[in-house]
Amino acid sequence: MVKRKRKRRKSADDWKKTLKFELAGLIILAVALIAISKLGFVGTTIVHLFRFFSGEWYMLFLIGIVIFSLYLIWKRQIPMLFTRQMIGIYCVTASLLLLSHVTLFKMLSHNGTFATPSVLSNTFELFWMDVKGEVSTVDLGGGMFGALFFAASYYLFAEAGSRIIAIVLIVIGIILITGRSLQVTLAKVLVPVGNVLKNQIIGFIEDMKSLPKALKRKRATQKQSKKEKVAEKANKKDLEIVDDQDDLQPIISSFSDHGEAESQEMIIHTMDEDQHQKVDAANVANTMQSTKQKTKDATPADPPQEKVVLQPMTFVEIENKDYELPPIELLHAPKHNAQSADKKNIYENARKLEKTFQSFGVKAKVTQVHLGPAVTKYEVYPDVGVKVSKIVNLSDDIALALAAKGIRIEAPIPGKSAVGIEVPNSEVAMVSLREVLESKANDRPEAKLLIGLGRDISGDAVLAELNKMPHLLVAGATGSGKSVCINGIITSILMRAKPHEVKLMMIDPKMVELNVYNGVPHLLAPVVTDPKKASQALKKVVNEMERRYELFSHTGTRNIEGYNEIIRRNNRKEEAKQPEIPYIVVIVDELADLMMVASSDVEDSITRLSQMARAAGIHLIIATQRPSVDVITGVIKANIPSRIAFSVSSQTDSRTILDMGGAEKLLGRGDMLFLPVGSSKPVRVQGAFLSDEEVEETVDFVIAQQKAQYQEEMIPTDIVETKSEVQDDLYQDAVQLVVDMQTASVSMLQRRFRVGYTRAARLIDAMEERGVVGPYEGSKPRDVLIAKDNHDELTS
């Protein structure tokens, strides 16, 4: 019962409080509106009252009362009347009343002397005349408040000083209301004005300097025109006297020579720039003429070079004119995602960001927001004097304030004086490969190696040209989206290039990712799945690169584009159609497996290709899910400048891929950082999704157009291991000892058989070749692969 009574009393008190403020506000609002409209006796009385105190500014006070009443109704509390902004308003109002009464001063005084000594009494007399209606219009200035301010300031500072005091009060009031520094405000106003004046003065000085030259040029022009007129008159007279054309020619030539001499003198003395232009034009003409001559000399139509150009390549493919590129309709249309929840949270998150910065003493504002497929990027502009490191160190606090899984800070954004804060979206909008390939950036049919990657934070399609990268490293943890990215790259190439334009070499030690592409006519060889054969396949690509460079040296070209251009010129002149050299894209889906089996051979081949293969039209795409330094070695990284990093587990892995952190904060599921060649910072991209069904449909369409014709010289062969007989008499005894002891080492053989290190090591190597012992594993002892009971196998 007691609790219920307390609740009722509390609700009754709240209701009374609400009613008290709202009723008071409504009454004050009604009275103020009546006074503004001068309705009836009450309205005129209130106007007279306010005119008495504030003179001609009474309406300003009535509007203030209206605002006061609305505040009472809305906020249900009395406003703070002595805040910084309110004091500024009071200062501006007081200065207005004072200035109004200063203008009234001349009316109150007669020839510099007062009729009545008191300004207050004169003001009151004017007011009383206005109330009685003795005068139609009476200027009361600033009312009694203005008279009081004026009387005090006039006594202290005279009339001119009163005006200065009023102006200073206005400036102080504006500073208090806006909270802006006077120095900053004046700098913003005066600096542009000063720059304009400075430019005008500099321009005037330069014009004055160039005035004598202009006058000289004008005089020279006038002299030249006079000489031309004289020459014309003389020419007319000579034409009248001389009738024969042969006799006329010497006269014309003499006048032309004279005119050239005059013009040369003018150019030397007054037109230096024009003279240089003429000399440059002559040099350009000579250069063009010599270039044309060299081009004629180097055309493939010459007999010696024709033989070299028509030299048969190791593998080239004649164009299949019936081949059709796969239509874009094979890929699924994108599903529309409105991202309504993320759009609603944008303004709220921006306010939270600014409040968080303010709470930590960082002055910064959110000016732009980019809603992307997976993350939203807030562009934060810090105030002058704020360190970027201060914002970066608040990453955990910002994530806490926004209740986000994790944020990534880009400090600063390249090309902008802002810091980017990337916050994950609650709804991830899927990006399909079809929408990326349908974008305007893909409208370049001549770019055969243009690949679609996804969309950036702004929603723009991100595409890249492999021949400009020129090689690409893709790395990330398991399930982060590497295989989908590789499939997207391959599908992009199949959508754009015909088999005679681009060839593919695929290496897939995992055996399941790239096998779907077997039978595609773009393949040089079936998909290589054996790690030992992969090393051989890379060596074959290296050999092809060397053959291409040899061909380039014979034809005098520097790269594949130059060579193919010569082929096209030759084909236009002759009926025989020589096929062009295709690009080759080598795709390695898992580098870690290859490095485990044959690290030295694989690294050597990749290093040679990455260093030299760009001009030969051979490009590498290497993917791995183990971004460690023993897989992605320093030599490989140095020669592969373009990288894609998917989500990784630690900042160390991110540094291994990108040479910087950031990949450890990615969201997975296609969220990547793309670092193209020449870029200082990576671009965050939501990778394009491609389903297995879309890949199969594209492959089926391509295979239906043309069957695969593998190149025999590019197919890795099975390595047949030939075991020669061991010439050492101690071999059988050494094998017997190793099997009995179930351990093998070079030092043990040295001690037991009293032989040197070289002979003992040769015996161990022979056992390894025949499968008796395992490979060398550093400090660990070698494994013995034959048990004690299997003595019969030792003699074989």
Side-chain angles (χ1 to χ4, degrees):
M1 292 297 289
V2 176
K3 288 183 179 179
R4 287 184 181 178
K5 286 181 180 179
R6 285 181 182 174
K7 286 183 180 178
R8 287 177 183 174
R9 286 178 186 174
K10 190 175 180 181
S11 60
D13 292 341
D14 292 341
W15 182 80
K16 287 179 183 178
K17 186 178 178 181
T18 302
L19 183 64
K20 178 175 69 175
F21 284 109
E22 288 186 354
L23 289 178
L26 287 171
I27 292 169
I28 295 171
L29 179 63
V31 172
L33 293 175
I34 289 170
I36 291 172
S37 304
K38 297 181 181 179
L39 301 176
F41 176 76
V42 174
T44 54
T45 303
I46 295 173
V47 169
H48 283 312
L49 177 64
F50 277 91
R51 274 176 64 81
F52 174 74
F53 288 106
S54 59
E56 299 304 314
W57 296 95
Y58 74 94
M59 189 60 71
L60 189 66
F61 284 80
L62 289 175
I63 292 171
I65 290 175
V66 170
I67 296 171
F68 177 81
S69 63
L70 294 174
Y71 189 92
L72 284 178
I73 296 169
W74 189 256
K75 294 288 187 178
R76 299 169 187 170
Q77 62 181 7
I78 298 174
M80 298 290 291
L81 300 177
F82 292 99
T83 60
R84 173 173 56 82
Q85 290 85 356
M86 292 301 296
I87 293 172
I89 293 172
Y90 298 155
C91 290
V92 174
T93 307
S95 63
L96 292 175
L97 296 177
L98 176 58
L99 283 173
S100 298
H101 228 78
V102 168
T103 58
L104 190 65
F105 172 78
K106 293 180 180 179
M107 185 182 71
L108 296 175
S109 63
H110 300 284
N111 297 325
T113 59
F114 287 105
T116 306
S118 175
V119 178
L120 294 173
S121 61
N122 280 291
T123 306
F124 182 77
E125 287 178 7
L126 288 172
F127 168 73
W128 195 245
M129 289 170 62
D130 181 39
V131 172
K132 287 181 178 180
E134 294 179 0
V135 184
S136 59
T137 56
V138 177
D139 185 6
L140 295 177
M144 295 305 291
F145 287 151
L148 185 63
F149 297 151
F150 176 71
S153 64
Y154 184 82
Y155 175 75
L156 295 172
F157 312 109
E159 180 184 350
S162 300
R163 292 180 185 274
I164 294 172
I165 293 297
I167 293 170
V168 170
L169 279 174
I170 290 174
V171 173
I172 292 172
I174 292 172
I175 291 172
L176 291 173
I177 292 169
T178 59
R180 295 286 183 90
S181 169
L182 180 63
Q183 178 190 359
V184 175
T185 307
L186 289 176
K188 287 184 179 179
V189 175
L190 295 178
V191 168
V193 176
N195 290 334
V196 171
L197 292 175
K198 181 182 175 183
N199 293 333
Q200 292 295 329
I201 293 169
I202 292 171
F204 177 74
I205 293 171
E206 289 178 354
D207 291 340
M208 294 302 294
K209 287 181 179 178
S210 61
L211 186 60
K213 290 184 179 179
L215 292 174
K216 286 182 182 178
R217 193 177 301 169
K218 187 176 180 181
R219 289 171 187 169
T221 307
Q222 290 175 354
K223 287 181 181 179
Q224 186 180 4
S225 63
K226 287 180 181 179
K227 289 178 181 179
E228 287 176 356
K229 288 179 181 178
V230 172
E232 286 178 3
K233 289 180 181 178
N235 194 11
K236 285 180 181 178
K237 290 180 181 179
D238 289 329
L239 285 172
E240 290 174 357
I241 297 169
V242 182
D243 294 330
D244 192 8
Q245 184 70 25
D246 296 332
D247 296 331
L248 183 65
Q249 189 64 35
I251 297 172
I252 297 172
S253 63
S254 66
F255 279 117
S256 63
D257 294 339
H258 182 70
E260 284 179 4
E262 290 290 336
S263 63
Q264 284 177 2
E265 288 178 4
M266 289 171 61
I267 290 171
I268 291 170
H269 291 290
T270 61
M271 299 180 69
D272 297 333
E273 294 178 0
D274 292 353
Q275 184 184 14
H276 290 310
Q277 288 175 2
K278 288 183 179 180
V279 173
D280 293 340
N283 291 337
V284 171
N286 293 335
T287 306
M288 290 176 64
Q289 189 174 1
S290 61
T291 306
K292 287 180 181 177
Q293 188 64 33
K294 288 180 183 178
T295 307
K296 287 179 181 178
D297 296 338
T299 49
D302 294 340
Q305 292 194 1
E306 268 185 34
K307 293 179 182 178
V308 177
V309 170
L310 297 177
Q311 189 178 18
M313 278 295 297
T314 310
F315 65 87
V316 286
E317 187 171 331
I318 300 172
E319 179 182 359
N320 180 9
K321 295 185 178 180
D322 296 331
Y323 184 89
E324 294 181 4
L325 293 173
I328 198 70
E329 288 75 17
L330 291 176
L331 305 179
H332 296 168
K335 295 180 181 178
H336 178 69
N337 191 339
Q339 293 182 303
S340 55
D342 294 306
K343 289 178 182 176
K344 290 179 182 177
N345 294 334
I346 284 177
Y347 296 102
E348 185 180 353
N349 287 343
R351 285 196 296 270
K352 286 180 181 178
L353 275 174
E354 290 181 350
K355 285 181 181 178
T356 305
F357 289 137
Q358 190 176 2
S359 64
F360 286 98
V362 177
K363 290 184 179 180
K365 286 186 178 180
V366 178
T367 56
Q368 291 187 27
V369 181
H370 303 281
L371 178 62
V375 294
T376 302
K377 184 175 185 178
Y378 297 86
E379 289 190 8
V380 177
Y381 281 78
D383 205 349
V384 178
V386 176
K387 290 185 177 181
V388 176
S389 58
K390 246 186 173 181
I391 298 177
V392 174
N393 293 335
L394 293 176
S395 60
D396 294 336
D397 301 290
I398 294 170
L400 177 65
L402 300 179
K405 299 176 185 176
I407 64 168
R408 177 177 173 267
I409 297 179
E410 186 179 18
I413 300 172
K416 292 185 178 181
S417 57
V419 176
I421 298 177
E422 298 171 1
V423 182
N425 293 340
S426 57
E427 301 175 9
V428 177
M430 189 187 74
V431 178
S432 68
L433 184 62
R434 177 171 176 173
E435 63 183 292
V436 176
L437 296 182
E438 284 180 336
S439 64
K440 292 181 180 178
N442 194 43
D443 190 16
R444 285 186 288 165
E446 75 284 353
K448 301 302 177 183
L449 295 179
L450 190 67
I451 57 176
L453 297 177
R455 290 190 179 274
D456 61 7
I457 290 177
S458 302
D460 299 329
V462 178
L463 298 102
E465 286 191 69
L466 268 178
N467 51 338
K468 293 181 180 178
M469 284 183 167
H471 310 291
L472 179 62
L473 175 65
V474 184
T478 306
S480 57
K482 292 188 312 302
S483 297
V484 176
C485 179
I486 295 295
N487 284 329
I489 291 172
I490 297 171
T491 305
S492 299
I493 294 173
L494 296 180
M495 286 278 180
R496 299 185 66 85
K498 295 182 179 180
H500 74 282
E501 295 170 335
V502 177
K503 289 294 183 182
L504 301 174
M505 171 68 81
M506 298 186 188
I507 298 172
D508 179 21
K510 291 191 287 188
M511 304 184 187
V512 292
E513 296 293 342
L514 302 181
N515 274 340
V516 67
Y517 297 103
N518 268 326
V520 171
H522 298 71
L523 287 176
L524 289 173
V527 178
V528 181
T529 55
D530 187 357
K532 293 182 180 178
K533 291 184 179 180
S535 174
Q536 190 181 358
L538 289 173
K539 288 180 180 178
K540 289 181 178 291
V541 177
V542 172
N543 294 336
E544 174 60 26
M545 176 190 72
E546 292 172 349
R547 283 196 293 270
R548 290 190 175 193
Y549 273 119
E550 187 178 351
L551 188 65
F552 295 164
S553 67
H554 288 316
T555 56
T557 54
R558 299 180 60 184
N559 50 33
I560 185 173
E561 288 83 6
Y563 180 84
N564 286 338
E565 180 62 28
I566 289 179
I567 292 290
R568 284 192 288 270
R569 286 183 198 166
N570 190 53
N571 290 340
R572 282 195 294 268
K573 291 181 180 179
E574 295 188 1
E575 295 181 359
K577 297 296 181 183
Q578 173 74 8
E580 300 175 11
I581 301 179
Y583 290 98
I584 297 177
V585 179
V586 181
I587 300 168
V588 180
D589 190 30
E590 187 50 67
L591 179 63
D593 289 347
L594 301 187
M595 297 295 281
M596 288 177 64
V597 175
S599 60
S600 59
D601 293 342
V602 169
E603 186 176 358
D604 291 344
S605 300
I606 291 176
T607 302
R608 289 209 64 197
L609 288 172
S610 58
Q611 285 176 341
M612 299 177 58
R614 183 194 65 81
I618 301 173
H619 305 282
L620 293 174
I621 299 175
I622 297 175
T624 181
Q625 64 182 9
R626 189 156 66 87
S628 56
V629 292
D630 57 338
V631 176
I632 307 174
T633 62
V635 178
I636 293 176
K637 279 177 61 179
N639 294 293
I640 303 181
S642 299
R643 289 89 178 267
I644 291 178
F646 287 91
S647 176
V648 294
S649 57
S650 66
Q651 191 176 16
T652 305
D653 292 345
S654 177
R655 290 184 180 278
T656 305
I657 307 166
L658 299 172
D659 295 326
M660 65 183 73
E664 75 279 1
K665 295 184 178 179
L666 296 177
L667 306 176
R669 296 178 61 190
D671 192 15
M672 70 170 85
L673 289 176
F674 174 47
L675 182 66
V677 59
S679 178
S680 60
K681 287 193 175 182
V683 181
R684 191 164 186 177
V685 179
Q686 178 62 33
F689 178 74
L690 187 70
S691 65
D692 294 339
E693 182 183 351
E694 293 173 85
V695 174
E696 290 173 2
E697 290 179 1
T698 306
V699 170
D700 292 341
F701 183 89
V702 171
I703 293 174
Q705 296 292 314
Q706 183 176 329
K707 301 297 181 184
Q709 298 175 357
Y710 300 127
Q711 305 297 327
E712 293 293 333
E713 59 275 9
M714 298 300 291
I715 300 175
T717 57
D718 294 329
I719 301 172
V720 180
E721 296 183 359
T722 57
K723 296 180 181 179
S724 59
E725 294 183 2
V726 182
Q727 302 297 328
D728 200 323
D729 298 335
L730 290 177
Y731 176 71
Q732 295 297 337
D733 297 334
V735 171
Q736 183 70 41
L737 175 65
V738 166
V739 173
D740 291 341
M741 300 292 294
Q742 284 296 300
T743 183
S745 67
V746 176
S747 58
M748 184 184 73
L749 296 182
Q750 284 181 271
R751 291 193 308 271
R752 291 299 180 96
F753 297 106
R754 298 176 183 272
V755 294
Y757 175 82
T758 306
R759 187 177 182 185
R762 200 179 294 121
L763 289 171
I764 292 291
D765 291 340
M767 293 182 200
E768 182 182 350
E769 288 179 4
R770 285 155 181 77
V772 178
V773 297
Y776 175 71
E777 297 181 8
S779 59
K780 295 181 181 180
R782 291 177 183 260
D783 295 330
V784 180
L785 305 178
I786 298 177
K788 288 183 181 180
D789 300 334
N790 300 334
H791 290 282
D792 297 336
E793 297 181 10
L794 302 178
T795 57
S796 60

